[in-house]
Amino acid sequence: MSQPKHTPPPRWASFLLNQLLPDDSQTPAGDYEEYFSSIARDHGRFAAKRWYAMQLLRLIPEIILAKLYWSFVMWKNYLLVGRRNLLKNKVSSAINLFGLSVALAACIAVFLFVKDFATVDRFHENGNRIYMVTHEVPEAGGLPKWGTSPTPLGPVLKETFPQVEESVRIIQRRALFEYGSKTISESIVFADPGFFNMFTFPLRLGQKSALDNESNVIISERTAEKYFGKSDPLGEVITLSFDGTDRQAFVVAGIAEKFPTNSGFRFDVMISANNPNAMSNTARNDWGQFVDGTFLMLTPGSEIEPILEGMASFIPVQNAANEGWQITSFDLENLRHKGVTAFLVRNRSFHATEWPFMAVFILIPLFMLALSCINYVNITLASALRRLKEIGIRKVVGGSRKQLATQFLAENIILCGLSLLVGVALAYTVLVPLFNNLFVEQIDIAKSVDLPLFVFLFAMLVGVAFISGAYPAFYISSFEPSAILRGQSKISRSAWLTRSLMTVQFAIAFITVVVSVYMGMNNQHLLNVDWGYQAENTLVVNLTGNDQFKLLEGELGQYPQIELIAGAAHHIGQGGSSGRVNVDGTEQTVRLISVGDRYFESMNIPTLEGREFVPELAGLDSTSVLVNKVFAEESGWEEAIGQSFRLDNRSVTVIGLIDNVLTNPVGADFPIVYTKSDPANYAVATLKVPSRFDIDIVKAGWEKVFPGAVLTYFYQNEVFDISYESLGKMNAMFMTIAFLSLLIACMGLFGLASQNAVTRMKEMAVRKSLGASASHLTFELNKKFILLLGVAAAISSVLCVAAINGLLSMFDTQNMPLGPLPIAVAFILLFSTAASAVFAQSRKIANINAAEVLKSE
Amino acid sequence: MNHLTRSEEYILLAIWKLQEEAYTLPIQGRLQEITGRDWSLSSVYAPLERLVKQNLIKSELSEPIPERGGRPKRIYSLTSGGRRALLEINAVGQSMWDGISVNALERGLK
């Protein structure tokens, strides 16, 4: 019989078949090849190929089903064994579960916030073609960008460039909002009528065109609720008084929907910028006047370069109009893509994310996650020694390395899944409300559930399961079964890894403890900083309008209990403005605080030399200033009184030297120039009162002068309470983090110690029977841990001192340097908690019955 | 007795008939030839597997063969159980046909 010519099937097909078919299906593969050959002989190669391809296609669904079926069966088994194992080792499972859930909860909560911060203003539909105008003005320390812009710039650009579809300016002022019996000071935003066409702030009630009428007002949902409650406010008439006198009636013509949590801009009350209260008619064309923001919306697809060039041509006009404010360049910042450094732009009307702060915020939960993953790795590696027999048997009966690794990964995934569930619950019930309380940014729990969150949760599950589970799984599955079963448990315990991971863990815990102890002590230190004056006897009353001070003074001035009533446009402890001074050719930026007559006397702040502003000499004081001691020292004056210098391009003369006082709870002394303020601009009235003063007198007087208006006041010694409170909150947050990381690290140590104790039971029994004492046994068992802790503490204390003192030296602040005390406290805390973590195990070992242990097996 | 399907019965018969050459392809070829119907390879594999499970046939591998891409053939042969099953089927068939005239069937008479 002649051998027929053999035609092999195409290589791709054979390859595919080999991939799809398991190894034991060699025969069918051979059959197919032979059949192929015979078809090729009888009907040609093409027919044979077609047949082969058809067969392959029909094979695929079968194979997928089979694969799914078997992997399902295997996973069912993995999960079953995994569940049994987790339940068997309750202590280590609980440690892992706790650590991972806390860390994951922190990650989830931070993710919710970061998601908002990272997508600030992304929701504006036209965001890609909306730009904010910025400009740069050189100053001593650099070239800062400003978010404000000259008043005429926006309208001029819109007229000149056809590609500028819309220009909107924003001006922010305060005014008294009056409706019914309520009179409250509100922040008012004036915006050009195109505002609602440019930005995506939908109105719940009313029309976008409401801003076309300059006597209309659009209010936020919050404001609507505040004044009108549940009733429909559309068409209601309200009164706003600017500077106390310019009263104007407005019609409520729109209610904005609740702002998205990731909105960088919010308003309570909005009025058309065409309203005369936004700016005077002369200011509208004055390049020397500034608005709080100018926004341009370009036509789709247009480039920004021509606009930038166009803006540059206005620099000379602007600089000629405002000699004290020399702009070097204009720039545009996209609303959606603000850039990482956008938060550095000063006086921005649209908030930008502060990334350095965010970085710290993101790092903390990642650290905690790292701590928990380390626990998992360490405990799993230690417990693997107890599961050696199981591993050996599994391998001997044919379990492949892959299956064993999958078994360990499955256990890990069960744990991670459970932790994720607990973590989500913790995040939503504890952490998000806590953060909402700490930050201005509020997360709406109901709205936070979206696709990115689920993607994040899934990624967390997979990521954490892989990071914590991969190494133990692949390491353990590499054990040689013969070595295990022969009883040669000379398996390397990968001790170096466990030890270095533990060192890292304790170093992190140590650092957080040092930082939080330091912060606590520093807060105490800041509370005790000498303010430089007696603050208890000054009552500060907030004013809102320009006639208020005179009226109030007229009334309260008659009361004998009030020793003195003065006022100021700014107030010590509540900021001020900044100004540029030129002393003998040296330029610098200083803080400007604008105060009224006899302000310092009312505040009990001593005037060291010269005099303060007094009403008797009001005529002389228009070019007079007072300076603080720092300013006089920095200017190198021996005698401050009578010195002249330039302040924002006018010449001023020093008439008084004021002692340094604390103007900022954390800031150090800096140069201050006190200028004279007109009573019309007073924002506060300062009342010098005796120690035992009845506040009802002021309340009654206020009610008499301003019936119905709300009186807000505080004693000057409470001026920093808000800052202290936020410092306290920060401190509390760090304490919590320190506590949690210490807890997680110590739980890890506890888990490791208990595993260690079990594996060294025999050794300890032998030592005991040979006469070792309980204390010696305890030391012998834990000396490894003591050494690790010592190394961790040494490394991290060096790091802490270097980092904190380095950071402090960068800023000029009142903060105290990091001394040895916080480190000592951290040492004691760390070693005592670590000792209590291993104590129970050590006691158990020290008290073992040596005979019992050695008899077993 | 074992109730075998028709295809299982045919395959057993084909294996017996083919003897040394009883592997998948000739079996399938013979089934196609005699029944005149198209038998796909998989319609042969499935009953073969069932018959192996029921211990009616057994198989062994041949030497590797170049025209099969260097893979061996799986040659099937009847076990004693397989032979008995065929005999039983034959006996049952014979009894069922007993007294039935093929001639009369063709002409449609009782």
Side-chain angles (χ1 to χ4, degrees):
Chain A
M1 196 173 111
S2 74
Q3 191 69 25
K5 192 174 159 285
H6 172 61
T7 321
R11 199 170 295 169
W12 62 265
S14 309
F15 171 77
L16 205 60
L17 200 65
N18 270 333
Q19 293 300 308
L20 291 173
L21 285 175
D23 292 343
D24 55 346
S25 305
Q26 285 304 307
T27 334
D31 285 342
Y32 274 84
E33 189 158 341
E34 198 182 331
Y35 200 81
F36 178 86
S37 179
S38 77
I39 296 178
R41 200 175 52 231
D42 297 345
H43 303 283
R45 216 175 136 73
F46 179 73
K49 268 186 176 172
R50 203 181 55 189
W51 171 81
Y52 206 100
M54 277 309 292
Q55 297 295 322
L56 268 174
L57 277 179
R58 281 158 61 182
L59 190 63
I60 289 167
E62 287 294 322
I63 286 182
I64 290 175
L65 270 179
K67 281 235 151 99
L68 277 179
Y69 172 77
W70 286 111
S71 57
F72 175 75
V73 168
M74 281 313 279
W75 270 96
K76 212 176 122 190
N77 181 268
Y78 292 143
L79 294 179
L80 180 73
V81 175
R83 198 179 74 108
R84 284 180 190 156
N85 254 312
L86 291 179
L87 290 178
K88 198 171 136 200
N89 302 317
K90 287 204 181 63
V91 174
S92 40
S93 305
I95 291 172
N96 284 327
L97 187 64
F98 174 82
L100 282 174
S101 335
V102 169
L104 282 172
C107 286
I108 293 165
V110 166
F111 171 78
L112 288 177
F113 279 87
V114 171
K115 191 176 71 178
D116 262 11
F117 280 115
T119 58
V120 162
D121 291 335
R122 288 277 167 90
F123 60 90
H124 292 289
E125 282 160 20
N126 300 323
N128 278 336
R129 49 199 185 96
I130 300 177
Y131 295 88
M132 183 176 88
V133 177
T134 62
H135 66 268
E136 289 177 328
V137 177
E139 66 168 42
L143 190 62
K145 269 194 177 176
W146 294 80
T148 54
S149 52
T151 309
L153 182 65
V156 165
L157 287 175
K158 194 183 169 186
E159 263 170 43
T160 324
F161 292 95
Q163 62 265 52
V164 176
E165 191 179 313
E166 192 72 80
S167 119
V168 168
R169 290 166 302 171
I170 283 172
I171 300 137
Q172 289 166 320
R173 286 185 74 179
R174 288 199 80 79
L176 275 183
F177 190 113
E178 292 172 43
Y179 177 78
S181 60
K182 291 198 175 82
T183 307
I184 302 171
S185 168
E186 293 287 355
S187 160
I188 312 287
V189 173
F190 294 93
D192 283 318
F195 184 86
F196 289 102
N197 286 330
M198 186 184 281
F199 300 107
T200 310
F201 287 120
L203 296 180
R204 188 161 64 80
L205 292 171
Q207 299 297 320
K208 281 182 176 180
S209 56
L211 277 186
D212 291 344
N213 185 336
E214 58 186 70
S215 340
N216 276 348
V217 64
I218 292 176
I219 56 178
S220 66
E221 202 167 50
R222 203 180 61 163
T223 312
E225 206 161 288
K226 186 158 138 195
Y227 290 93
F228 307 102
K230 295 264 178 277
S231 62
D232 178 7
L234 274 196
E236 293 285 338
V237 176
I238 58 121
T239 309
L240 291 177
S241 37
F242 301 92
D243 293 337
T245 48
D246 299 335
R247 286 165 58 89
Q248 195 193 334
F250 287 88
V251 177
V252 177
I255 317 285
E257 264 176 27
K258 204 171 176 193
F259 301 107
T261 50
N262 58 349
S263 180
F265 179 79
R266 284 150 211 227
F267 61 87
D268 287 324
V269 181
M270 181 172 278
I271 300 170
S272 166
N274 294 332
N275 187 288
N277 282 307
M279 50 196 144
S280 67
N281 276 329
T282 48
R284 282 179 199 271
N285 295 313
D286 183 355
W287 285 83
Q289 297 285 322
F290 277 70
V291 291
D292 293 303
T294 297
F295 292 83
L296 305 177
M297 181 160 77
L298 306 189
T299 49
S302 47
E303 302 283 328
I304 63 165
E305 278 72 24
I307 316 275
L308 288 176
E309 279 168 29
M311 289 199 298
S313 68
F314 291 113
I315 295 176
V317 186
Q318 138 68 29
N319 286 352
N322 194 345
E323 283 181 5
W325 196 256
Q326 296 294 305
I327 292 177
T328 54
S329 70
F330 280 114
D331 203 354
L332 291 175
E333 177 193 295
N334 189 275
L335 185 64
R336 271 203 195 154
H337 309 285
K338 291 192 168 94
V340 185
T341 55
F343 70 95
L344 292 172
V345 176
R346 297 184 184 173
N347 291 15
R348 339 176 24 106
S349 46
F350 274 52
H351 170 84
T353 306
E354 289 177 37
W355 285 109
F357 168 72
M358 290 312 287
V360 177
F361 193 48
I362 294 169
L363 274 178
I364 288 169
L366 288 183
F367 263 139
M368 286 170 67
L369 199 58
L371 290 178
S372 307
C373 286
I374 290 174
N375 271 355
Y376 185 86
V377 172
N378 280 344
I379 292 179
T380 314
L381 287 181
S383 69
L385 293 175
R386 293 208 300 194
R387 289 175 70 179
L388 280 178
K389 288 255 159 68
E390 176 200 337
I391 296 160
I393 296 289
R394 270 172 175 270
K395 279 207 157 180
V396 166
V397 298
S400 69
R401 180 170 177 189
K402 196 175 120 196
Q403 285 169 329
L404 242 149
T406 316
Q407 173 66 56
F408 278 88
L409 274 177
E411 285 171 28
N412 184 23
I413 284 172
I414 299 177
L415 196 77
C416 288
L418 277 178
S419 311
L420 196 67
L421 289 182
V422 180
V424 168
L426 268 180
Y428 274 102
T429 54
V430 182
L431 288 180
V432 170
L434 187 78
F435 285 164
N436 270 345
N437 199 13
L438 280 179
F439 300 125
V440 189
E441 189 87 12
Q442 296 278 320
I443 290 295
D444 187 338
I445 290 181
K447 277 192 188 158
S448 66
V449 181
D450 56 3
L451 185 67
L453 178 70
F454 284 110
V455 172
F456 172 77
L457 289 182
F458 184 74
M460 278 318 256
L461 179 65
V462 174
V464 171
F466 187 77
I467 289 169
S468 60
Y471 179 76
F474 291 106
Y475 173 70
I476 291 167
S477 61
S478 71
F479 290 166
E480 279 299 322
S482 54
I484 297 172
L485 296 176
R486 232 188 295 149
Q488 290 178 335
S489 59
K490 278 193 178 163
I491 307 290
S492 144
R493 296 178 192 184
S494 71
W496 66 269
L497 183 79
T498 304
R499 281 177 201 169
S500 42
L501 287 180
M502 239 183 79
T503 314
V504 170
Q505 227 181 1
F506 274 94
I508 293 175
F510 192 86
I511 289 171
T512 55
V513 171
V514 171
V515 169
S516 67
V517 171
Y518 166 74
M519 282 182 56
M521 288 170 60
N522 190 37
N523 273 3
Q524 205 54 47
H525 164 80
L526 289 177
L527 282 177
N528 293 335
V529 164
D530 182 15
W531 288 22
Y533 63 103
Q534 286 290 322
E536 295 83 22
N537 294 341
T538 305
L539 183 74
V540 183
V541 174
N542 290 317
L543 304 175
T544 45
N546 69 1
D547 264 347
Q548 275 194 320
F549 180 73
K550 277 184 185 153
L551 292 171
L552 195 66
E553 190 188 25
E555 175 65 26
L556 298 183
Q558 304 166 11
Y559 301 172
Q561 298 94 326
I562 297 168
E563 293 169 30
L564 178 65
I565 172 164
H570 300 132
H571 180 58
I572 287 176
Q574 288 187 331
S577 64
S578 63
R580 295 179 61 72
V581 298
N582 184 330
V583 182
D584 303 330
T586 332
E587 285 219 0
Q588 69 165 331
T589 302
V590 296
R591 172 163 294 198
L592 283 184
I593 297 184
S594 187
V595 301
D597 292 324
R598 303 179 75 187
Y599 173 75
F600 294 101
E601 192 187 338
S602 71
M603 292 280 286
N604 294 314
I605 296 172
T607 309
L608 298 177
E609 289 169 29
R611 63 168 177 89
E612 68 167 308
F613 304 122
V614 285
E616 296 78 25
L617 295 168
L620 297 173
D621 285 343
S622 57
T623 57
S624 303
V625 293
L626 308 171
V627 297
N628 72 343
K629 236 162 96 182
V630 178
F631 185 85
E633 278 159 14
E634 284 188 5
S635 304
W637 294 332
E638 298 232 335
E639 173 64 48
I641 308 302
Q643 298 278 1
S644 285
F645 61 92
R646 290 190 73 76
L647 168 66
D648 288 342
N649 293 304
R650 63 193 172 103
S651 185
V652 293
T653 311
V654 179
I655 56 160
L657 181 65
I658 301 297
D659 205 359
N660 292 334
V661 292
L662 193 69
T663 52
N664 169 344
V666 293
D669 295 334
F670 40 77
I672 299 174
V673 174
Y674 296 98
T675 57
K676 174 94 163 68
S677 156
D678 188 73
N681 298 330
Y682 285 1
V684 292
T686 48
L687 279 56
K688 190 175 180 184
V689 294
S691 295
R692 299 179 60 187
F693 178 67
D694 185 6
I695 188 71
D696 288 339
I697 298 171
V698 177
K699 282 182 184 163
W702 177 273
E703 184 60 35
K704 203 164 151 191
V705 193
F706 312 112
V710 181
L711 168 70
T712 56
Y713 65 91
F714 58 92
Y715 282 97
Q716 178 64 11
N717 58 349
E718 295 159 358
V719 68
F720 292 139
D721 280 7
I722 294 169
S723 319
Y724 287 142
E725 198 187 328
S726 64
L727 276 179
K729 277 179 177 175
M730 275 260 284
N731 201 25
M733 198 170 84
F734 258 90
M735 294 266 272
T736 317
I737 293 163
F739 170 74
L740 283 176
S741 47
L742 193 62
L743 189 65
I744 293 173
C746 282
M747 284 173 82
L749 180 65
F750 176 79
L752 218 52
S754 54
Q755 300 287 353
N756 184 43
V758 173
T759 44
R760 293 179 70 184
M761 195 78 98
K762 281 252 159 76
E763 179 199 335
M764 291 300 140
V766 171
R767 279 176 190 273
K768 192 167 190 185
S769 58
L770 291 178
S773 69
S775 61
H776 179 78
L777 282 185
T778 310
F779 173 74
E780 194 57 44
L781 199 60
N782 294 321
K783 73 177 175 196
K784 197 166 74 186
F785 296 135
I786 296 170
L787 190 72
L788 287 185
L789 248 62
V791 171
I795 295 174
S796 42
S797 49
V798 171
L799 274 177
C800 276
V801 172
I804 293 184
N805 286 343
L807 211 66
L808 289 182
S809 70
M810 275 164 60
F811 303 105
D812 219 7
T813 60
Q814 298 275 6
N815 295 308
M816 62 173 203
L818 174 63
L821 191 60
I823 293 179
V825 171
F827 255 96
I828 293 168
L829 252 175
L830 195 67
F831 278 93
S832 55
T833 43
S836 59
V838 295
F839 178 72
Q841 291 306 322
S842 309
R843 237 183 72 142
K844 205 156 74 184
I845 285 291
N847 296 332
I848 50 173
N849 184 338
E852 278 295 316
V853 173
L854 292 176
K855 225 178 4 181
S856 74
E857 284 183 32
Chain B
M1 70 168 273
N2 270 321
H3 286 286
L4 293 178
T5 66
R6 200 32 79 78
S7 53
E8 285 167 351
E9 182 187 337
Y10 288 168
I11 285 170
L12 284 182
L13 286 168
I15 290 173
W16 181 253
K17 175 84 181 170
L18 289 165
Q19 289 294 333
E20 297 301 305
E21 277 299 303
Y23 69 98
T24 343
L25 288 185
I27 294 171
Q28 182 234 15
R30 189 169 164 78
L31 289 173
Q32 286 202 136
E33 203 179 296
I34 290 175
T35 59
R37 197 158 66 79
D38 203 20
W39 288 69
S40 72
L41 277 176
S42 48
S43 62
V44 182
Y45 284 128
L48 273 173
E49 222 167 87
R50 285 201 295 275
L51 290 170
V52 171
K53 258 190 201 155
Q54 290 174 48
N55 226 354
L56 296 181
I57 57 174
K58 57 182 195 247
S59 69
E60 51 192 65
L61 294 179
S62 73
E63 293 297 305
I65 291 163
E67 64 221 55
R68 293 171 61 87
R71 300 184 189 88
K73 291 172 182 172
R74 184 170 291 277
I75 310 241
Y76 294 93
S77 55
L78 298 193
T79 59
S80 54
R83 287 206 305 279
R84 221 177 304 124
L86 274 186
L87 287 172
E88 259 177 49
I89 288 167
N90 188 35
V92 171
Q94 297 255 330
S95 325
M96 292 292 282
W97 282 95
D98 202 21
I100 293 172
S101 151
V102 178
N103 248 340
L105 257 184
E106 275 177 351
R107 280 182 285 131
L109 294 172
K110 278 266 163 89

